Each structure stands twice: as C-alpha cells, then as structure tokens.
Amino acid sequence: AEGQWEIWTSLGLYNMAKNAQAGDTFVLMQDIDMAGALWTPIENVNGNLIASEKYTVSNMKITQSVNGNMGFFASIAEGGNVYRLNLADMNVIADKNTTSVGLIAGTCAGTVDACTAIGFVTDDRAQLPEDLKVGGLVGTIIPAALLVLLGIIYLIGGGKSQMDFGGDFFPDITKLDNLVLASGIFLF
C-alpha cells in the first residue's frame, strides 16, 4: 500500500532504501548527518522523495555501485520523483563496475527537481573507462536522447524553434553564473 513516511534519522534513510520501490512518498523532516556510515545506492526508485529546502543530508560516503550506477540513488525509474533534496559533503568513489555516476543518481528516467548537491566524484582506477558517464547531479538522463530526437522531428516537420540561434548561441562559460545556467539547461 502506498503511504507517506517521515524521515528523521539516518536509520529512517536506511528504511527508505528498503521501501523506496513501493511507490511510497518519503519526506525529509530534519538535517541528517551520515558521518561514518557507508551508503549503498537505492535502485529503481519509483516513489517520491520530498525534502524541505532547509534540510540537508550530509557527509555521505558511497563506494559501491548497483548495476553499474552510483549516487545517493543508483537509478530513478520512470515515475520516480526527487524534489528539493539537498546533499552536502558527498564523497562518491567509483568502483570498477561503475558506468554512470552522479551525486544524486547514476541514471534517471524520472524527475529530479530543485535539488542541490555538493561533493566529490572520484575514481581510484589508474585508467578511467571511456564509457564512464559522470554528471554533477545525474550521470545519465535516460530520456535525453529521446527528447533531442523529438525536438529534431518537430523542427523538420515545420515547427518553430523557441530559441534564437542567431548571434552568440553558446553562453560565456568564463562567468560562473552562465556556467551554472548552462549546466541547468543541458541537464534538465
């Protein structure tokens, strides 16, 4: 049965990991410090995680991938929603099986909205695999290729672009504000 669960502690986060596939809604109720604990990424999230803007999960260390994906969530399934999640002082160390890594999720076919993440993604392998996908928030956004294809079909079919392709189309990435804006545009 679908329900709403409040998360108050690190134990609550671990319980969420066990129940996240049930379609339930989980609400973060206070800051949670995960110092000293290893986190196993949650796979195929198809429920909802809603966090208040003022609460943060911090000091999380992730050293194990799940089906090649690493992040707070290994993967967010279609229909899964993560809203206003703040992560700080994240340390994600890609293992030999990792193919896609991000601080919030390795892969996402659902929705990540109004989230922040601060931390490091590292890899202790001497040679990184060529197909390793690394993103700040999400390593791989699954429907992205489909959206690009649909956009091309729309334009070929005579649809009018809502973007001005004249002049300086690409933002000046030497300015931090533009870099953040460009990242947001290309990730979401």
Side-chain angles (χ1 to χ4, degrees):
E2 293 183 10
Q4 182 167 315
W5 304 91
E6 295 179 347
I7 301 172
W8 291 89
T9 64
S10 58
L11 180 60
L13 279 177
Y14 287 111
N15 287 333
M16 179 193 72
K18 292 178 185 176
N19 298 304
Q21 297 184 40
D24 292 342
T25 297
F26 298 88
V27 181
L28 189 62
M29 302 302 291
Q30 66 180 10
D31 290 334
I32 298 177
D33 188 343
M34 298 293 289
L38 285 177
W39 180 256
T40 300
I42 304 167
E43 185 176 20
N44 291 323
V45 173
N46 63 11
N48 300 299
L49 175 63
I50 301 171
S52 171
E53 292 173 6
K54 63 183 177 179
Y55 299 129
T56 301
V57 176
S58 60
N59 298 311
M60 185 172 282
K61 184 174 184 179
I62 304 168
T63 60
Q64 171 185 339
S65 66
V66 176
N67 290 326
N69 297 309
M70 288 187 83
F72 182 82
F73 300 104
S75 58
I76 301 171
E78 186 174 346
N81 300 294
V82 179
Y83 182 63
R84 292 191 312 213
L85 176 62
N86 298 311
L87 301 175
D89 301 318
M90 297 284 293
N91 186 8
V92 181
I93 304 169
D95 67 15
K96 66 181 180 180
N97 300 314
T98 303
T99 57
S100 188
V101 60
L103 294 175
I104 291 184
T107 61
C108 179
T111 303
V112 173
D113 189 17
C115 294
T116 65
I118 300 170
F120 296 94
V121 175
T122 59
D123 188 316
D124 58 3
R125 293 177 279 189
Q127 181 70 33
L128 291 176
E130 290 182 19
D131 62 344
L132 180 63
K133 298 165 186 78
V134 179
L137 296 179
V138 177
T140 303
I141 301 173
I142 294 172
L146 178 62
L147 292 175
V148 169
L149 178 63
L150 290 174
I152 291 169
I153 292 170
Y154 173 78
L155 293 174
I156 290 172
K160 182 178 180 326
S161 173
Q162 302 301 310
M163 295 180 68
D164 178 13
F165 289 99
D168 292 330
F169 173 68
F170 292 99
D172 178 4
I173 61 172
T174 61
K175 295 185 172 77
L176 183 60
D177 291 342
N178 289 344
L179 181 60
V180 171
L181 175 62
S183 298
I185 290 170
F186 292 115
L187 286 176
F188 300 103

